[in-house]
Amino acid sequence: MTDSNKMIINLALFGMTQSGKSSAGNILLGSTDFHSSFSPCSVTKDCCLGRSCHLCGFMRRGGQEITLQIQVLDTPGYPHSRLTKKHVKQEVKEALAHHFGQAGLHLALLVQRADMPLCGQEVSDLVQMIQELLGHAWKNYTAILFTHAEKIEEAGFSEDKYLHEASDTLLTLLNSVQHRYIFQYKKGNSLNEQRIKILERIMEFIKENCYQVLTFK
């Protein structure tokens, strides 16, 4: 926060290749800061920070209207088709320290396609990397963002039914992050409506943490 009427929220995106991280980041920012496209290989090779425009009157705190600004760190997917785990981890570690070293990280979003099953070893490697980057408190500062959620609707699933029939791998992960999750749909609502709904959900998680942050050296 830079003054009593403005709040800056810092987010980081993690996920596997082609999970929709960069696209999700663009929705959060309300822009096209991050390059996003279909590709048979990993698209994002470097960390990139995007900043949203100011969202005036987005919320109230202490009886005052608060102007919100979102900062999103997009990271390379892991496993990566070109980069080693060591390279990806070092790239992200340096970016977290550079961008959020003092201000801190409010929430990490683990991005997962709703229409793709979680593979045990791949998600274990990704979660291990997140643990190593964020530290022992990672579970308190992480939520799962399901992209392509419209696919589960097309298959006749509600969100509750989808989660009820989820794999053991996904259920274990959800338990680890205290069932913090968000579904992102790409049709029906306008992009701005999607954005507001997702940001409202994110702010719920951040409020539950009493606006605390993870800092990096």
Side-chain angles (χ1 to χ4, degrees):
M1 293 179 68
T2 55
D3 59 57
S4 60
N5 296 320
K6 179 182 175 183
M7 182 180 293
I8 297 175
I9 296 299
N10 295 326
L11 309 172
L13 302 173
F14 297 95
M16 289 179 273
T17 293
Q18 291 292 309
S19 60
K21 291 189 314 302
S22 299
S23 177
N26 286 334
I27 289 176
L28 290 168
L29 295 173
S31 68
T32 55
D33 285 28
F34 304 134
H35 176 63
S36 175
S37 64
F38 174 79
S39 173
C41 60
S42 302
V43 175
T44 304
K45 292 182 286 186
D46 304 295
C47 291
C48 180
L49 185 75
R51 295 182 177 89
S52 73
C53 295
H54 292 99
L55 296 169
C56 298
F58 181 83
M59 55 182 285
R60 296 184 68 85
R61 192 180 183 195
Q64 291 186 320
E65 284 195 347
I66 301 297
T67 294
L68 197 68
Q69 184 177 33
I70 308 298
Q71 295 192 138
V72 179
L73 182 68
D74 191 19
T75 67
Y78 182 79
H80 199 280
S81 62
R82 294 191 179 95
L83 306 176
T84 65
K85 179 181 180 180
K86 182 179 180 181
H87 183 102
V88 172
K89 182 181 173 183
Q90 188 61 30
E91 168 79 14
V92 178
K93 181 179 179 180
E94 291 175 1
L96 288 170
H98 177 70
H99 296 296
F100 304 145
Q102 293 184 333
L105 176 71
H106 290 89
L107 193 68
L109 293 171
L110 200 170
V111 183
Q112 164 66 23
R113 286 185 65 126
D115 61 338
M116 297 287 286
L118 273 179
C119 298
Q121 189 56 51
E122 288 186 345
V123 74
S124 294
D125 289 345
L126 176 60
V127 169
Q128 181 184 7
M129 187 173 73
I130 293 173
Q131 289 176 320
E132 293 169 355
L133 288 165
L134 304 187
H136 69 277
W138 75 277
K139 296 178 181 179
N140 299 324
Y141 294 89
T142 302
I144 301 174
L145 176 62
F146 292 105
T147 58
H148 300 270
E150 68 280 357
K151 298 293 185 181
I152 67 172
E153 276 193 341
E154 292 170 6
F157 284 84
S158 65
E159 293 178 6
D160 287 342
K161 184 179 178 183
Y162 173 85
L163 294 174
H164 181 73
E165 299 189 13
S167 65
D168 290 342
T169 300
L170 178 53
L171 291 174
T172 299
L173 182 57
L174 282 166
N175 286 332
S176 295
V177 300
Q178 301 159 50
H179 286 265
R180 284 188 295 266
Y181 61 86
I182 306 166
F183 284 91
Q184 176 190 301
Y185 296 84
K186 271 197 171 182
K187 69 177 190 179
N189 296 327
S190 71
L191 284 177
N192 191 55
E193 288 176 340
Q194 291 178 47
R195 181 192 186 204
I196 296 303
K197 286 182 178 180
I198 293 171
L199 289 178
E200 286 175 345
R201 185 83 163 141
I202 286 172
M203 290 308 300
E204 288 177 13
F205 301 148
I206 292 173
K207 288 175 186 176
E208 289 171 3
N209 277 346
C210 301
Y211 300 94
Q212 296 180 84
V213 294
L214 284 174
T215 55
F216 307 92
K217 296 180 180 179

